Amino acid sequence: MRLEGSLQLVLLLALTSTATGLNIPIEVEQPPTIITHTSGPIIALHFDNTITIRCKARGNPPPEYRWTKDGEDFVPPYIPTEHTDGTFMLHKEHLVSFLGKYRCYASNKLGTAMTEEIELRVPGDPKFPKELNFPILVMEGEPITLECNPPEGVAPRQIYWMSIGLQHIEQDERVSMGTDGNLYFSNALPKDSRLDYCCFAAFSTIRTIVQKTAMAVLVKSLKPGNESADSSNATQAPPVRIPGLLLPSGVQTEKVLLKGENLQLECIPQGYPTPTITWMKMGDKLPVRTQLNNFGKLLFISSVDESDGGKYMCKAQNSAGETVHYFDVIVEDLPKWDTEPPQSQVAVIGTDVHIKCSVSGKPSPDITWRRNGELFRDDPGSSRRVLDDTVLLHNARAVDSAVYQCEASNIHGSVLANINIMVMNIAPRILTMDFQEYAVVLGGDIVMNCNVFSSPPPTISWVKDETLETVEGERFLAVSESLQIISAEKNDSGKYVCVASNKEGKSSVTAVLDVKDPTKIVHPPQDVDIISGTTAQLMCQAEFDKSLRGTFEVVWRKDSEEIPLSSEENSRYFVDDGMLQIMSVNLSDQGIYTCIARTSLDEDHATALLTVLDIPDAPTDVVVSELDSPRNVRLFWIPGSDHNSSVTEFIVEYEESQWEPGRWKELQKVPGNQATAELALQGHLNYQFRVYAVNVVGPGPPSEPIEGYKTPPAAPDRNPENIKIQGHLPHQMDISWEPLLPIEHNGPGLEYKVSYRELDVEDVWREHLVKRHSFAVRNTSTFVPYEIKIQSRNSHGWGPDPKIVTGYSGEDVPTAAPRDIAVEVINTTVLRVSWTPAPPATVRGHLGGYDVHWLRKRSLLEPDKILDDRRSLSFPGKRTHAIVPGLEPFSEYRLTVNVFNKKGNGPNSDPVTFNTPEGVPEQVPILTASNAKKDSILLVWGPPRETNGILTGYLLQHHLINETTLEVVDSQETNITGADTTQWHLQGLEEGSLYRFHLRACTRAGCGPPLAQESSTPGTTAPASGQRSNFSTQGWFIGTMCAVALLTLVVLMACFVRRNRGGKYAGTPPPTQRQDMFFMEKVKAKEDLHPDAESQGENDDTFCEYSDSEEKKPLKGSSLRSLTGDDALGDSISRDSMVDYADGGGEFSEDGSFIGEYAGRTHRGSASEPSGPRPVTA
């Protein structure tokens, strides 16, 4: 069929549940298709103001709508203006008049589609009829039926039996409510008598509860001589009654229900005693889904199918007999499609069209055929035949095109299908958009569509645009009208053309394919163990096609659930540059994390296991059991979870209520693989125990404390320890010890027995009982050894045998001095002193060491000037010699030695007098170069501050310097013999050259360290330095420099006169640095070190404390010490300690300066140690 002014018709399939097909663009002319409609039945509730019945179809031209009601044409009373389809509305006031079954028809010039019937129901308000109920009078033992007859209403409906006071009527095997709402009594008892049996019907959908008029029941008692219904103390039992059935009646009942519904079979018996109900299925077992409800009276099977059909039997039985009832259960079914609804078709003119309506149901459905909504019957004389469930269009023509309806129905319902039959010849029309773009990742599969409508069906071929060759190969598959490419390669990119053709013509469309790089995770997350409370980091970095950047994202999942990522402050999850950070990790964060890197085309994923390490849980079920005695117990427990970190140890703690209640203390540690501990307990205590576990994360919470465990009293288990014997006074011995802890008393009445005797003199122990932890023994000899032992006891006995310790009574100051003092001068500043020790008996205490005192009497440079420069050093321990540093060269000294102990110093030895040899001078303080001429320069300097001997002159060295490389070209020396010389005019220099000058002061012992200065001679054509040529040759400048030099000499001489003679030597200068002319700088440097073999070999000599009794201040680099152990002597003199230098490899220069003074020192030990330095009195 050809349609003018429009596109050719295409096959349309209804979009309802009864028809499916192609989705043709609305621009193409097409018959109506119902796309939505209201499904029945519609139940109008009393609170609904309006009811809307919908019907909407699509078609071109747009369809027109009409309705039928109960098979008659119906004009809707109100159509909303906002609806352009077939929808209409009914208002609440007139709903009752619109009860019925409705059907919607949608029509245009190409055909008519129709809906199934839509039933509208308007239920009335449920209510019980007004009635007058007379009391029901029965004899005891007879059955009773109280009828409810509940009104119909909107489901669901629930029935209750209650009293006027809304108390539920108690139900059991004898009294129960049936599914019909009636209340059944298998036999009456006097207690059943009451006046307010009420039946209530509740309708939850409409929120309504209705009540029936109350009913009265009077049960006559069988008690002799009393027939009052109020009697409840009958002694005569009702007569036995053979069972019968109150529900259902008769012998057999037929039960018909639909497949999928719930089956309920009910048997309510009567009789006395109350019969019991049993159920069975004849010839088969009861289904496993069977439930017995209502005290066994109701058989319930959910969602029945054909296998649940058959004959069922219930049996009521008591001691008097039995009765049975049979149920024939028949399971039927609604009409339904065998596979799917009939499909719409497109047929070529002249072919045969078959429309088959395959349905099933029970009973078998009747099939009704319609064409465009009108009944369609068989016409044997035409080409259109209706053969039961099949329509045959023989040699179909264009006029056979229409919408055919197949409706199958039985007593339970119906199904309807709209089938669009289009008979036409049409050239291929491709519905897929031209130049549709497709993208696929490398190695992926892609389907390029080519949806075609034509009649007869087209032939489809695909060619690649560049080559115009047909696409062929194992990777290229034709799927219906589309082209599928398997495992796409980069060279598959390009344009593809789909060509569709039939005998009516042909058409083509182009598809564009782009093969992109796949997404790949290059840095996947790694399994990680993380401690609870810290931050976990999982890295996931991926590569992807850059053209897909806009769609690329990284998604994280935990245990298959996507992790919510939020920018809120309270969020614990953050993702930055592919890294997932989990803040404050806890045990709930443990699991498998999956990183998904994806674009709009593909994705890649990688997983990692996050294991959270946390402190272990508290142990549980702690139990204590006694071993061989009440004070030896074993503790058992069940370890808690270790939270992925093995327990390293368990800590057993205890708390006792007598001495420190509430304070938990550690009792024992147990390896982590052990869940038991053997405990040795103290006596006379009430214990509580608890246990906690420790792993690498930390200690876990403790277990719940176990109930108190009380130990009996006993004698002490140990004696005091850390016994100290001290002699604070010469004739007294003080004994002290570490007392037993309160929990170690093991019982009341703790005290100590102190026993002592003089070593190797007394055999009998002198004993004292004390309760404190100290004891003083008076009137002892000075520094005499004693044996001491201390034993603990309480009211239950003595402790173990004590150990014997040895100590001494009080000390006194030494009474004798060392003898045979000898002095060996090593160099200008160091000497070795030796002596014969004082007799041990005269020390009268523990030997502390020796003090060496020396006095500088005079400098040999100024023999008439008397000095009083006193110094001293302490040397701890037993020794016979020592090294004394820090002497001044070319001086006269007097030296003494004394011994000391803890109580103080002994007398000084006889003095020894000695002289120190000359030394080299110090560095000259200033050196200037001036009055530079072509071949000469004037050098001016000041004498050294300390000559350390008789000054003999100076040694001048001058070096010619290459100004480019700063290397020495030539060197010369000049000996200046005049000790009073302070300037020198150096001649024979090269013109325009740079010189470096070194000047040393000399004595008979040698020359001291040099002082450097640089200067240049002027050239003939241009000055070597603008500053030198402009200033150094000027007369006013020379005069100024001479005045500065003279003033400097005056200041130096004044400082020399007032200088403290205990001062230090200057050190060796640093490497020579180039200086500008006229810049003067003092250089402090170390002296050259040349210790002799004897001083280096004295490895056992120790330098100790050094004091200056004149200035009361330490040497540079030494440590000021104060020993509290000697405070009793009142000696408050502070002295330098040189112990640090003694054993540390200290060395001395030839003139006696001590290298350790400059080279840094390492502190070893504290001043309060017994072997350390101590103050001495010079």
Side-chain angles (χ1 to χ4, degrees):
M1 179 176 65
R2 189 174 186 85
L3 301 177
E4 299 295 339
S6 66
L7 295 173
Q8 295 295 328
L9 280 178
V10 298
L11 173 64
L12 272 183
L13 300 178
L15 299 181
T16 64
S17 61
T18 59
T20 59
L22 296 175
N23 185 13
I24 304 302
I26 195 63
E27 293 81 6
V28 178
E29 283 194 347
Q30 52 192 282
T33 300
I34 303 293
I35 57 176
T36 181
H37 69 277
T38 302
S39 298
I42 303 171
I43 300 176
L45 303 178
H46 68 277
F47 47 76
D48 292 331
N49 292 322
T50 58
I51 296 296
T52 301
I53 303 178
R54 304 180 184 279
C55 179
K56 184 176 183 180
R58 58 175 290 175
N60 187 2
E64 297 178 353
Y65 300 90
R66 65 184 179 89
W67 287 87
T68 62
K69 175 178 176 290
D70 298 330
E72 303 290 335
D73 288 340
F74 171 77
V75 178
Y78 176 69
I79 299 177
T81 56
E82 66 270 18
H83 288 282
T84 58
D85 50 23
T87 300
F88 67 91
M89 297 176 62
L90 301 174
H91 289 281
K92 178 179 181 180
E93 294 80 8
H94 309 291
L95 282 180
V96 177
S97 62
F98 291 104
L99 297 179
K101 296 181 179 179
Y102 295 82
R103 196 188 294 269
C104 172
Y105 295 85
S107 305
N108 65 11
K109 65 180 182 179
L110 304 178
T112 300
M114 57 185 283
T115 67
E116 300 171 347
E117 286 189 327
I118 307 168
E119 182 180 3
L120 175 61
R121 302 175 186 172
V122 183
D125 293 333
K127 61 181 62 177
F128 284 101
K130 293 183 179 180
E131 55 187 356
L132 180 61
N133 294 325
F134 294 98
I136 299 174
L137 181 64
V138 297
M139 295 299 294
E140 184 178 358
E142 293 181 350
I144 308 173
T145 299
L146 299 182
E147 295 183 355
C148 179
N149 297 323
E152 296 296 329
V154 180
R157 180 186 68 183
Q158 290 180 296
I159 309 298
Y160 304 96
W161 281 91
M162 294 187 290
S163 66
I164 291 295
L166 300 181
Q167 297 295 319
H168 283 276
I169 302 300
E170 184 179 354
Q171 300 185 31
D172 54 21
E173 291 83 355
R174 186 180 64 87
V175 181
S176 61
M177 182 182 69
T179 55
D180 57 2
N182 296 338
L183 187 63
Y184 296 93
F185 296 76
S186 296
N187 50 75
L189 297 179
K191 66 178 183 180
D192 297 328
S193 296
R194 62 187 306 149
L195 304 176
D196 57 349
Y197 284 96
C198 295
C199 179
F200 292 83
F203 301 89
S204 58
T205 302
I206 59 176
R207 299 184 291 277
T208 299
I209 298 177
V210 293
Q211 174 187 346
K212 186 173 183 176
T213 305
M215 291 176 280
V217 173
L218 299 176
V219 180
K220 284 190 175 184
S221 173
L222 297 178
K223 184 177 179 181
N226 185 1
E227 296 182 355
S228 171
D230 298 330
S231 175
S232 60
N233 298 317
T235 58
Q236 182 177 343
V240 174
R241 295 174 61 90
I242 298 174
L245 291 178
L246 297 175
L247 191 73
S249 60
V251 178
Q252 185 167 323
T253 302
E254 183 178 83
K255 184 77 171 179
V256 178
L257 69 163
L258 290 176
K259 181 180 179 181
E261 291 183 341
N262 298 328
L263 171 63
Q264 295 188 97
L265 303 180
E266 188 174 32
C267 282
I268 299 180
Q270 61 150 322
Y272 188 86
T274 302
T276 58
I277 298 293
T278 57
W279 293 90
M280 65 179 298
K281 184 178 182 182
M282 308 303 291
D284 200 355
K285 294 182 180 180
L286 289 174
V288 294
R289 308 189 314 281
T290 303
Q291 302 176 23
L292 298 179
N293 301 329
N294 197 17
F295 309 101
K297 304 171 189 178
L298 179 65
L299 180 144
F300 179 87
I301 302 176
S302 62
S303 301
V304 297
D305 55 26
E306 290 83 353
S307 64
D308 296 319
K311 181 167 287 190
Y312 290 77
M313 183 190 77
C314 75
K315 179 192 294 185
Q317 186 176 20
N318 66 7
S319 58
E322 64 181 37
T323 186
V324 298
H325 189 89
Y326 296 96
F327 296 88
D328 284 330
V329 177
I330 302 172
V331 179
E332 297 186 345
D333 201 359
L334 288 165
K336 61 181 180 181
W337 307 114
D338 288 343
T339 54
E340 60 181 354
Q343 299 297 300
S344 298
Q345 302 177 40
V346 175
V348 179
I349 296 175
T351 61
D352 293 342
V353 177
H354 296 265
I355 310 172
K356 187 173 181 60
C357 195
S358 298
V359 292
S360 61
K362 189 176 181 179
S364 297
D366 296 326
I367 297 177
T368 302
W369 288 95
R370 292 182 175 83
R371 184 176 185 271
N372 291 332
E374 302 294 334
L375 287 176
F376 185 50
R377 295 184 175 87
D378 182 40
D379 184 3
S382 70
S383 61
R384 303 174 182 175
R385 301 296 307 274
V386 177
L387 306 174
D388 195 14
D389 63 349
T390 303
V391 167
L392 172 61
L393 303 179
H394 178 65
N395 193 19
R397 296 168 296 165
V399 294
D400 293 325
S401 298
V403 181
Y404 292 81
Q405 287 90 21
C406 168
E407 186 171 25
S409 59
N410 63 13
I411 59 174
H412 301 297
S414 62
V415 291
L416 174 70
N418 287 281
I419 307 106
N420 292 349
I421 300 299
M422 309 302 298
V423 182
M424 64 178 64
N425 288 358
I426 184 172
R429 181 170 299 278
I430 299 179
L431 304 179
T432 302
M433 184 178 67
D434 198 10
F435 285 95
Q436 175 74 49
E437 294 182 353
Y438 297 90
V440 65
V441 296
L442 184 68
D445 300 343
I446 184 67
V447 174
M448 292 182 287
N449 297 321
C450 185
N451 296 331
V452 181
F453 175 74
S454 71
S455 182
T459 299
I460 305 294
S461 62
W462 285 86
V463 297
K464 196 163 185 182
D465 191 33
E466 290 85 351
T467 62
L468 297 181
E469 296 179 357
T470 301
V471 178
E472 295 177 340
E474 294 181 352
R475 296 189 301 108
F476 301 91
L477 304 177
V479 180
S480 185
E481 300 166 341
S482 303
L483 175 65
Q484 182 178 12
I485 302 177
I486 307 297
S487 299
E489 300 175 354
K490 276 291 187 179
N491 56 11
D492 292 335
S493 297
K495 296 179 180 179
Y496 293 80
V497 178
C498 169
V499 180
S501 61
N502 65 7
K503 64 181 182 180
E504 301 293 331
K506 69 176 181 178
S507 182
S508 65
V509 69
T510 299
V512 181
L513 177 62
D514 185 7
V515 180
K516 300 181 180 293
D517 293 326
T519 303
K520 182 180 180 181
I521 295 176
V522 293
H523 294 294
Q526 304 296 316
D527 293 348
V528 63
D529 294 345
I530 191 72
I531 294 178
S532 176
T534 60
T535 299
Q537 294 182 338
L538 296 175
M539 175 60 74
C540 181
Q541 292 185 341
E543 296 176 346
F544 57 93
D545 195 286
K546 301 308 179 186
S547 65
L548 300 174
R549 181 182 299 276
T551 65
F552 175 75
E553 63 176 348
V554 176
V555 177
W556 287 90
R557 297 181 182 271
K558 176 185 178 291
D559 299 332
S560 301
E561 295 291 333
E562 186 167 335
I563 297 176
L565 300 177
S566 172
S567 59
E568 298 178 2
E569 293 183 359
N570 59 355
S571 175
R572 295 194 305 113
Y573 300 98
F574 298 94
V575 173
D576 183 21
D577 193 23
M579 176 183 288
L580 172 66
Q581 297 191 66
I582 308 174
M583 317 299 290
S584 300
V585 171
N586 56 52
L587 290 173
S588 66
D589 295 316
Q590 180 169 299
I592 297 177
Y593 286 77
T594 302
C595 163
I596 303 174
R598 65 189 181 195
T599 63
S600 58
L601 294 182
D602 71 332
E603 66 180 38
D604 192 13
H605 69 275
T607 61
L609 174 62
L610 177 67
T611 303
V612 179
L613 310 181
D614 204 350
I615 58 175
D617 286 343
T620 59
D621 300 334
V622 182
V623 178
V624 62
S625 64
E626 188 175 311
L627 294 177
D628 53 355
S629 75
R631 293 175 55 200
N632 290 321
V633 299
R634 187 187 300 274
L635 211 62
F636 301 90
W637 60 86
I638 298 177
S641 172
D642 62 7
H643 295 310
N644 305 307
S645 177
S646 299
V647 174
T648 57
E649 62 183 0
F650 291 98
I651 310 296
V652 179
E653 293 186 319
Y654 74 94
E655 182 261 353
E656 48 83 21
S657 59
Q658 181 176 354
W659 300 103
E660 292 182 283
R663 181 180 178 186
W664 288 91
K665 301 178 183 177
E666 181 179 312
L667 181 58
Q668 188 170 327
K669 292 183 178 179
V670 177
N673 59 356
Q674 184 175 324
T676 179
E678 292 187 10
L679 308 177
L681 307 180
Q682 301 293 335
H684 198 52
L685 293 176
N686 189 16
Y687 281 95
Q688 284 195 95
F689 301 102
R690 69 183 187 185
V691 185
Y692 66 88
V694 180
N695 60 13
V696 295
V697 182
S703 65
E704 290 295 327
I706 64 172
E707 295 182 1
Y709 180 84
K710 191 169 185 178
T711 56
D717 294 325
R718 71 175 184 91
N719 294 310
E721 297 177 350
N722 294 332
I723 300 174
K724 296 181 180 179
I725 297 95
Q726 297 173 313
H728 298 293
L729 298 176
H731 301 291
Q732 181 173 311
M733 179 173 61
D734 296 317
I735 306 171
S736 62
W737 58 89
E738 184 179 285
L740 269 62
L741 297 175
I743 64 170
E744 297 175 327
H745 290 185
N746 282 357
L750 182 74
E751 55 187 356
Y752 304 99
K753 182 174 72 173
V754 181
S755 305
Y756 60 92
R757 66 184 179 186
E758 192 171 341
L759 181 64
D760 297 333
V761 175
E762 297 177 333
D763 295 329
V764 180
W765 293 91
R766 284 177 274 182
E767 299 176 345
H768 296 273
L769 280 174
V770 297
K771 293 187 177 181
R772 60 185 182 276
H773 52 274
S774 64
F775 183 76
V777 181
R778 295 180 173 82
N779 301 320
T780 63
S781 300
T782 301
F783 201 64
V784 174
Y786 278 85
E787 289 181 322
I788 299 100
K789 62 181 180 179
I790 302 174
Q791 187 176 17
S792 56
R793 60 158 285 180
N794 62 17
S795 58
H796 289 270
W798 292 93
D801 291 337
K803 295 180 180 180
I804 298 175
V805 297
T806 302
Y808 287 82
S809 58
E811 301 183 25
D812 207 346
V813 294
T815 59
R819 295 173 289 112
D820 304 327
I821 309 301
V823 171
E824 177 186 356
V825 177
I826 297 176
N827 57 33
T828 59
T829 62
V830 179
L831 63 86
R832 183 179 188 273
V833 58
S834 60
W835 60 85
T836 299
T842 65
V843 178
R844 301 205 299 175
H846 295 286
L847 176 65
Y850 293 87
D851 292 331
V852 177
H853 310 274
W854 65 93
L855 167 67
R856 185 185 182 202
K857 299 176 64 177
R858 62 176 59 84
S859 169
L860 298 181
L861 288 175
E862 300 176 289
D864 297 332
K865 182 178 180 181
I866 303 302
L867 303 176
D868 190 23
D869 185 6
R870 299 175 183 271
R871 304 290 174 89
S872 65
L873 276 176
S874 292
F875 298 92
K878 184 178 180 180
R879 59 175 58 237
T880 60
H881 63 276
I883 298 296
V884 177
L887 305 179
E888 297 289 343
F890 208 48
S891 300
E892 179 183 343
Y893 282 90
R894 184 170 66 89
L895 180 144
T896 61
V897 181
N898 70 266
V899 65
F900 63 86
N901 61 18
K902 290 183 179 179
K903 297 300 292 184
N905 299 332
N908 287 336
S909 66
D910 294 335
V912 175
T913 301
F914 64 92
N915 295 335
T916 55
E918 284 189 75
V920 298
E922 290 184 357
Q923 188 183 58
V924 296
I926 186 171
L927 173 64
T928 62
S930 61
N931 199 21
K933 297 182 179 178
K934 293 183 179 180
D935 59 352
S936 65
I937 286 179
L938 177 64
L939 299 175
V940 180
W941 64 87
R945 187 173 52 176
E946 291 289 346
T947 60
N948 294 327
I950 299 174
L951 192 66
T952 60
Y954 298 89
L955 176 63
L956 175 63
Q957 297 174 317
H958 64 276
H959 310 283
L960 178 62
I961 305 300
N962 185 321
E963 293 194 57
T964 303
T965 64
L966 299 180
E967 294 179 349
V968 176
V969 177
D970 185 28
S971 298
Q972 296 185 25
E973 289 187 357
T974 303
N975 285 315
I976 303 172
T977 57
D980 297 332
T981 305
T982 57
Q983 65 179 13
W984 190 262
H985 191 258
L986 190 60
Q987 298 181 343
L989 304 180
E990 293 185 9
E991 180 181 353
S993 299
L994 174 65
Y995 284 89
R996 181 180 301 138
F997 306 100
H998 286 169
L999 181 67
R1000 304 169 185 257
C1002 302
T1003 64
R1004 288 175 295 182
C1007 296
L1011 180 63
Q1013 181 61 279
E1014 287 187 0
S1015 183
S1016 298
T1017 56
T1020 55
T1021 58
S1025 170
Q1027 192 175 20
R1028 294 188 183 105
S1029 63
N1030 292 338
F1031 295 101
S1032 61
T1033 58
Q1034 300 300 317
W1036 63 268
F1037 178 76
I1038 295 174
T1040 301
M1041 290 306 301
C1042 291
V1044 170
L1046 180 61
L1047 180 61
T1048 301
L1049 289 176
V1050 172
V1051 172
L1052 287 174
M1053 292 177 66
C1055 292
F1056 182 83
V1057 171
R1058 301 188 52 160
R1059 175 182 173 273
N1060 185 336
R1061 308 300 281 178
K1064 306 293 180 290
Y1065 298 108
T1068 303
T1072 305
Q1073 300 178 359
R1074 182 172 183 178
Q1075 303 176 359
D1076 288 337
M1077 186 175 180
F1078 313 124
F1079 179 75
M1080 297 179 292
E1081 174 181 284
K1082 294 184 179 181
V1083 180
K1084 184 176 183 180
K1086 297 183 180 179
E1087 300 174 356
D1088 295 331
L1089 305 178
H1090 301 287
D1092 56 22
E1094 180 179 355
S1095 64
Q1096 291 184 2
E1098 296 293 334
N1099 294 330
D1100 59 340
D1101 294 339
T1102 305
F1103 303 126
C1104 292
E1105 296 176 349
Y1106 182 82
S1107 66
D1108 184 349
S1109 60
E1110 176 182 336
E1111 296 181 338
K1112 303 293 184 183
K1113 58 186 179 180
L1115 291 170
K1116 178 182 178 183
S1118 65
S1119 175
L1120 185 61
R1121 307 288 179 96
S1122 175
L1123 301 183
T1124 59
D1126 296 324
D1127 290 347
L1129 296 178
D1131 187 358
S1132 60
I1133 299 176
S1134 300
R1135 296 171 174 85
D1136 295 335
S1137 173
M1138 299 188 66
V1139 174
D1140 294 334
Y1141 303 120
D1143 299 324
E1147 297 180 358
F1148 301 91
S1149 62
E1150 285 182 337
D1151 62 356
S1153 60
F1154 188 45
I1155 296 175
E1157 179 177 342
Y1158 311 105
R1161 55 188 294 183
T1162 302
H1163 295 282
R1164 298 195 296 250
S1166 65
S1168 61
E1169 295 176 354
S1171 61
R1174 56 177 298 279
V1176 296
T1177 304

